[in-house]
Amino acid sequence: QDRQSGDLLVRRLSTSGQTVILASRSAASLQAQIANGSHYLWSQALLIGLAGAILTLLVYPRQSSSRRVLERALHSGQMFLLYQPVVDLQSGQCIGAEALMRWRQQDGSTLGPDVFIPLAEQLQLSDRISDCACQIIARELPALLQRVPDFHISVNVSAQELNTFAIVQRLVELRQRLRLQPSQLIAELTESSLAEAERALPVIRQLRANGISVAIDDFGTGYCSLSYLATYPFDILKIDKSFVSAAGTDSIIGPIAEHIVTLSKSLGVAALAEGIETPEQAENFRRQGVALAQGYYFGAPMPMAQLLERVQGPAQS
Ligand code: C2E
Ligand code: CA
Ligand code: CA
């Protein structure tokens, strides 16, 4: 800063010892520029802040309102279960069922789980879904257990739920309440949920230690490496319906189902073929020695009243 004028200078000493001035700027104009710049920065910061606030105001109520709607649906009885028969492929008997959730809308239409399960996961409400499913099962299953005491029931468990032991507690309570024998209650976990959850292994061990069987759902579609099969103890391998429908065709994935059956045998776990739609598919898997099957050919997901009729109907006897 030049002592006399107060201006700001950029100086360089030349080799001859003389001062060469490269630039000078009056201090007053520089201060004015700094003031201008800070005004600009402040207005930018204000604009960004305002945009953030508006976004929060727009998105948060939407999230919290879908949360309220889903929570209300969960405790006001808008959720209900359909049960899809699981058959013993060798005898053809219905030995169990998978509980599949539906959401009844106010206009009478029904929303499928493909829509609300991901929403529940996003809103961290997965445990409320399984809690609701367990409550409905506790209410509806006793009528069926009276007629078929060793009936199996499968419940779907979300990836999020494998991070705490709450699901173990919930399923143990259900098992005790219905006086189910070991392996009558089955927790279905997808392969990808095993990859996502850090605490899946201790949770699975606890489930099994408490007499709850574990099924790997949609096998072959997740990110699970084969080494996971050795890491995670489980009881049932559910062959995904995409491989079941491709089996016996000349599709590139045609032979996969057969390989999964071989794999289940070498692991010593039961295989379940999902999505069986034709008698040919049923016969194909029966011939391969697959123990269990599920699919529209044996029955689409149905209300408990219909399942009751089915297990005591003429087909069963
Ligand atoms: P998932 O566990 O693989 O259930 C089987 C799905 O395949 C069901 O669809 C069922 O209706 C359908 N399906 C059964 N047989 C056949 C068939 O022969 N052909 C064809 N094309 N499809 C068949 P849904 O009921 O729409 O369930 C979709 C998924 O939603 C389930 O897949 C499961 O991952 C999830 N989900 C359902 N209920 C619950 C629940 O209570 N909790 C959780 N966490 N997930 C659930
Ligand atoms: Ca399932
Ligand atoms: Ca499945």
Side-chain angles (χ1 to χ4, degrees):
Q1 190 163 19
D2 185 75
R3 284 206 190 111
Q4 281 171 5
S5 66
D7 288 352
L8 290 148
L9 312 171
V10 177
R11 302 200 290 208
R12 176 166 290 167
L13 273 179
S14 72
T15 39
S16 59
Q18 284 182 319
T19 299
V20 180
I21 295 183
L22 299 174
S24 93
R25 181 65 58 85
S26 91
S29 89
L30 206 73
Q31 261 155 15
Q33 277 191 12
I34 291 173
N36 261 345
S38 68
H39 276 145
Y40 173 76
L41 282 177
W42 273 110
S43 60
Q44 289 294 304
L46 205 70
L47 267 178
I48 293 171
L50 259 175
I54 291 170
L55 261 176
T56 313
L57 283 173
L58 284 175
V59 173
Y60 181 72
R62 200 172 293 169
Q63 263 224 357
S64 69
S65 90
S66 33
R67 188 183 183 90
R68 268 200 306 275
V69 171
L70 188 55
E71 278 179 330
R72 197 180 323 124
L74 280 161
H75 70 241
S76 66
Q78 288 173 38
M79 297 296 184
F80 64 99
L81 288 178
L82 292 182
Y83 301 87
Q84 183 170 38
V86 172
V87 300
D88 174 330
L89 254 187
Q90 306 304 317
S91 69
Q93 276 200 346
C94 171
I95 53 109
E98 175 177 0
L100 294 158
M101 194 166 275
R102 300 286 182 268
W103 181 353
R104 191 179 292 109
Q105 301 295 288
Q106 258 144 15
D107 63 2
S109 63
T110 299
L111 213 61
D114 295 359
V115 180
F116 64 84
I117 296 289
L119 177 70
E121 282 171 356
Q122 192 193 331
L123 298 170
Q124 308 278 321
L125 288 173
S126 299
D127 58 332
R128 303 278 305 272
I129 297 274
S130 68
D131 186 44
C132 178
C134 288
Q135 282 182 32
I136 303 175
I137 292 170
R139 210 170 49 233
E140 296 187 335
L141 202 65
L144 201 148
L145 290 171
Q146 269 188 352
R147 295 172 175 96
V148 190
D150 58 353
F151 198 80
H152 291 54
I153 186 82
S154 302
V155 182
N156 288 286
V157 174
S158 285
Q160 264 166 22
E161 296 179 86
L162 296 180
N163 281 320
T164 77
F165 289 92
I167 186 68
V168 180
Q169 175 92 14
R170 190 167 295 130
L171 293 178
V172 167
E173 271 170 27
L174 180 66
R175 203 195 137 197
Q176 285 168 349
R177 196 159 157 192
L178 296 176
R179 297 202 177 93
L180 299 172
Q181 293 301 309
S183 82
Q184 251 185 292
L185 180 58
I186 300 149
E188 294 199 3
L189 326 172
T190 60
E191 273 182 290
S192 19
S193 70
L194 298 181
E196 272 172 48
E198 278 168 23
R199 303 189 63 189
L201 187 57
V203 171
I204 291 176
R205 284 201 178 122
Q206 278 298 307
L207 285 170
R208 296 183 82 237
N210 282 285
I212 295 152
S213 291
V214 170
I216 309 244
D217 204 358
D218 305 341
F219 184 75
T221 61
Y223 317 104
C224 190
S225 84
L226 288 179
S227 66
Y228 275 49
L229 294 180
T231 313
Y232 294 102
F234 64 98
D235 308 276
I236 300 168
L237 199 57
K238 294 191 80 171
I239 310 169
D240 186 69
K241 47 185 176 289
S242 55
F243 302 124
V244 167
S245 59
T249 69
D250 49 14
S251 148
I252 192 154
I253 58 165
I256 290 185
E258 211 174 312
H259 293 313
I260 299 178
V261 174
T262 313
L263 187 66
S264 70
K265 283 179 187 161
S266 58
L267 289 167
V269 298
L272 186 156
E274 283 194 286
I276 297 266
E277 291 180 347
T278 67
E280 291 78 23
Q281 287 170 343
E283 179 53 22
N284 176 13
F285 287 96
R286 193 194 62 76
R287 237 185 300 112
Q288 289 182 51
V290 169
L292 304 162
Q294 207 180 325
Y296 294 162
Y297 173 62
F298 299 109
M302 57 185 80
M304 178 52 81
Q306 206 177 324
L307 185 68
L308 268 173
E309 270 173 33
R310 181 183 163 140
V311 294
Q312 61 192 355
Q316 176 83 0
S317 57

